[in-house]
Amino acid sequence: DIPMTQSPSSLSASVGDRVTITCRASQSISDYLNWYQQKPGKAPKLLIFAASNLQSGVPSRFSGSGSGTDFTLTISSLQPEDFATYYCQQSYSRAAFGGGTKVEIK
Amino acid sequence: QVQLQESGPGLVKPSQTLSLTCTVSGGSITSDSYYWSWVRQPAGKGLEWIGRIYASGDTNYNPSLKSRVTMSVDTSKDQFSLELSTVTAADTAVYYCARVVTGNKWYIDLWGRGTLVTVSS
């Protein structure tokens, strides 16, 4: 399997900030990379699939990029409802999630 | 609107088998567009993919759990199930069932609400 490493594990940001979360694969996974958002006590929610495709209904301030081993989730202008934990997940070889990035209020 | 609902015991004794069922409502489990998956999350920790099953019964499991996992599907009831044998306290987690959009670049687009399973004597 292909483990995924996210960084940072947590960050503090203010409303309106641009936030970037990184996910790295231990080997190339092309663009077989998805991003999810999870709020406390809730199931995860799909944000981005295949590295850069915005899921229907997800605000356009979310974007994904990358290919191969390095990927990025960007929130262009952080909103109050965006404070949550974000996970990447590779679907290249079975599946593996990154360890998560908790986005907290500064 | 398709919904997923996990059901099963919330408490399992060590060394026993954890059994959960996911009921798909508002849609058919035999749709060619989807297959079905289980993911778990220990309290305060990250997500762990357990495996996936097709309506045909074909499965793929997480190698770290493969020796203890069995997934099955009942198309007549639009249900799929998870069995995890020989459980320990490390298997205590919220278990989610999920719908997976098929294709090479597959992804989970729908989740159940999750059910907490505690392993304790």
Side-chain angles (χ1 to χ4, degrees):
Chain A
D1 269 1
I2 303 173
M4 306 299 294
T5 303
Q6 276 184 246
S7 61
S9 57
S10 66
L11 64 90
S12 296
S14 301
V15 172
D17 284 354
R18 181 181 182 88
V19 169
T20 299
I21 298 168
T22 296
C23 183
R24 174 165 289 175
S26 59
Q27 65 186 74
S28 177
I29 59 170
S30 183
D31 60 349
Y32 290 58
L33 192 284
N34 309 314
W35 290 98
Y36 302 87
Q37 175 195 66
Q38 187 180 33
K39 296 182 179 179
K42 300 293 187 182
K45 170 189 171 184
L46 176 68
L47 298 176
I48 302 283
F49 63 93
S52 60
N53 295 274
L54 193 67
Q55 171 70 345
S56 176
V58 174
S60 59
R61 62 180 180 273
F62 291 93
S63 64
S65 64
S67 183
T69 60
D70 294 314
F71 301 86
T72 299
L73 173 70
T74 300
I75 309 172
S76 60
S77 177
L78 197 65
Q79 297 303 298
E81 60 268 31
D82 301 337
F83 292 96
T85 301
Y86 294 84
Y87 293 93
C88 62
Q89 175 243 325
Q90 63 87 3
S91 60
Y92 184 83
S93 173
R94 286 184 278 266
F97 289 92
T101 297
K102 186 174 184 179
V103 177
E104 299 176 300
I105 301 172
K106 195 170 190 178
Chain B
Q1 181 179 356
V2 178
Q3 293 184 317
L4 308 179
Q5 178 65 59
E6 305 89 352
S7 58
L11 180 64
V12 181
K13 289 182 166 50
S15 79
Q16 293 191 343
T17 296
L18 177 161
S19 297
L20 295 174
T21 295
C22 183
T23 300
V24 179
S25 60
S28 172
I29 202 169
T30 58
S31 169
D32 288 340
S33 299
Y34 306 108
Y35 48 86
W36 311 93
S37 189
W38 291 94
V39 176
R40 70 179 184 178
Q41 185 173 37
K45 297 188 178 181
L47 301 166
E48 180 179 30
W49 181 75
I50 300 172
R52 64 185 182 192
I53 186 166
Y54 298 77
S56 63
D58 290 344
T59 55
N60 293 108
Y61 299 142
N62 184 328
S64 68
L65 297 169
K66 185 176 182 179
S67 64
R68 299 194 292 130
V69 171
T70 302
M71 293 184 185
S72 59
V73 62
D74 186 338
T75 56
S76 67
K77 296 182 180 178
D78 284 319
Q79 293 179 333
F80 60 104
S81 298
L82 167 70
E83 290 191 339
L84 182 65
S85 65
T86 324
V87 297
T88 69
D91 295 309
T92 294
V94 174
Y95 285 75
Y96 294 99
C97 63
R99 184 179 75 177
V100 180
V101 177
T102 59
N104 280 341
K105 299 172 187 176
W106 60 266
Y107 52 91
I108 295 173
D109 76 329
L110 183 66
W111 299 71
R113 295 178 69 177
T115 187
L116 174 63
V117 179
T118 301
V119 178
S120 174
S121 55

